[in-house]
Amino acid sequence: MAASGLPPLPPQFKAVQHFLRTAQELDKREPVVAYYCRLYAMQSGMKIDSKTPECRKFLCKLMDQLEAMKKQLGDNEAITQEIVGCAHVENYALKMFLYADNEDRAGQFHKNMIKSFYTASLLIDVLTVFGELTDENVQHRKYARWKATYIHNCLKNGETPQSGPIGMEEEYYDENEEVGSPALPGQESQASSSTYEPSNEPTSNYTGIHIPPGAHAPANTPAEVPHTTGVTSTSIQPTPQNVPIVDPSLYNVQPAGEIRLTAEDFARAQKYCKYAGSALQYEDVSTAVQNLQKALKLLTTGKE
């Protein structure tokens, strides 16, 4: 893989090629996510082989690329503050997951939804640069990767996939198989390289923290419908946002006496605020309100 000024990808680094491809695809649309994909690839590469000359050369070039991106994105809080970066990458991964899951539940099986499931699983891997994954993200990753493999194999064998988590225990993901990997620059004319465009979709009711498999994705997310299905594309109107009712008691909140907040409490409150800020980037009022209420309640009562 000799793209973006990088030397050919050493065979030892085959496990990170999908992350680098995803970074290439997202360079213009989501440069922050692209940055962290490359950071994950570099950290993984360092663990695999940092001594072989060809590997060292590749890692040095990748490091130079990361430094250039960091300078270019210098003032972006998602780069300067890890908690914001984590929220940004996680929100993008979950939106991708929700789009693919919604298509799956609707029985719309196509390459873009496979790619969305698979790329969502990769982006959850990327979240490990910020620390240990939550149990919810571990489950999302497992489900998305299994679903991508299952639907890919069904379509390849001429079979009709079943929607939902049926038979999940019997499927095993092969990390070396090219399942819906993003197209490299220059290949877009042959196959659609995008999975969905956040700027074109209405917001959903996800919280940014807990989203069980099966939750619904935005209704008008663009999708590539195979011509052989005979499905006619129709214009779908954006659905109204379901804004949660704000707890009236929070309007005139007075901190209770003797409330002792721990460092963990402050970190949790900060995380809720950052999730709210990240949600607003996608104009997701529901998610922003929910997380701000959680932060306010935690800071004023010491409880969630």
Side-chain angles (χ1 to χ4, degrees):
M1 179 179 176
S4 302
L6 293 177
L9 183 74
Q12 298 95 313
F13 292 164
K14 185 177 180 180
V16 304
Q17 65 180 337
H18 297 304
F19 298 94
L20 294 174
R21 284 175 175 168
T22 300
Q24 284 180 251
E25 180 183 293
L26 297 177
D27 268 333
K28 293 183 179 180
R29 189 165 72 229
E30 279 288 339
V32 169
V33 180
Y35 171 83
Y36 284 113
C37 284
R38 290 191 174 93
L39 180 60
Y40 176 87
M42 189 191 73
Q43 292 180 353
S44 299
M46 293 288 289
K47 295 176 183 177
I48 295 171
D49 187 345
S50 61
K51 296 182 179 180
T52 304
E54 61 175 344
C55 290
R56 287 179 61 86
K57 179 180 178 181
F58 186 89
L59 291 173
C60 285
K61 290 293 184 179
L62 182 56
M63 192 175 299
D64 290 342
Q65 194 176 76
L66 281 167
E67 286 301 318
M69 290 187 72
K70 191 172 184 179
K71 184 178 297 184
Q72 184 178 8
L73 299 170
D75 296 333
N76 194 314
E77 282 192 341
I79 298 297
T80 60
Q81 297 185 41
E82 284 194 353
I83 194 168
V84 182
C86 181
H88 188 94
V89 175
E90 184 175 29
N91 279 348
Y92 195 84
L94 293 179
K95 275 182 175 287
M96 193 169 280
F97 175 92
L98 288 175
Y99 160 62
D101 186 69
N102 190 63
E103 291 292 282
D104 174 46
R105 305 271 166 174
Q108 300 293 332
F109 306 109
H110 48 83
K111 291 182 180 180
N112 274 0
M113 67 96 73
I114 295 173
K115 190 159 60 178
S116 290
F117 264 135
Y118 184 60
T119 305
S121 76
L122 295 181
L123 295 183
I124 293 175
D125 279 332
V126 170
L127 289 175
T128 60
V129 303
F130 303 105
E132 189 175 350
L133 295 177
T134 63
D135 291 339
E136 290 79 12
N137 280 334
V138 170
Q139 290 302 313
H140 288 142
R141 179 178 61 181
K142 179 181 178 181
Y143 182 82
R145 198 159 293 181
W146 161 74
K147 203 65 182 176
T149 305
Y150 167 69
I151 297 173
H152 168 81
N153 289 337
C154 283
L155 297 183
K156 183 175 66 175
N157 298 327
E159 302 171 355
T160 301
Q162 296 185 56
S163 299
I166 299 174
M168 183 175 175
E169 306 81 9
E170 301 175 3
E171 293 291 330
Y172 296 93
Y173 173 70
D174 180 2
E175 65 179 8
N176 294 319
E177 179 145 11
E178 301 279 345
V179 181
S181 57
L184 293 170
Q187 293 180 334
E188 288 83 351
S189 59
Q190 300 175 5
S192 174
S193 64
S194 65
T195 48
Y196 72 101
E197 291 287 350
S199 60
N200 294 335
E201 64 185 23
T203 53
S204 62
N205 293 329
Y206 76 95
T207 64
I209 299 177
H210 302 293
I211 304 181
H216 290 287
N220 71 340
T221 305
E224 176 189 62
V225 180
H227 297 296
T228 56
T229 62
V231 177
T232 302
S233 176
T234 58
S235 177
I236 304 175
Q237 296 301 318
T239 55
Q241 295 191 43
N242 295 318
V243 180
I245 298 175
V246 178
D247 184 352
S249 66
L250 296 178
Y251 285 122
N252 298 307
V253 65
Q254 294 293 330
E258 302 300 325
I259 293 295
R260 295 183 180 276
L261 298 175
T262 65
E264 183 178 350
D265 291 330
F266 284 112
R268 290 287 295 175
Q270 185 182 29
K271 185 174 182 180
Y272 284 132
C273 291
K274 297 304 181 183
Y275 272 117
S278 183
L280 289 176
Q281 292 182 350
Y282 295 105
E283 300 180 359
D284 191 339
V285 177
S286 176
T287 298
V289 171
Q290 289 173 10
N291 283 286
L292 288 173
Q293 286 190 99
K294 290 178 182 178
L296 187 56
K297 182 179 179 180
L298 177 60
L299 292 173
T300 55
T301 67
K303 300 177 181 179
E304 293 190 58

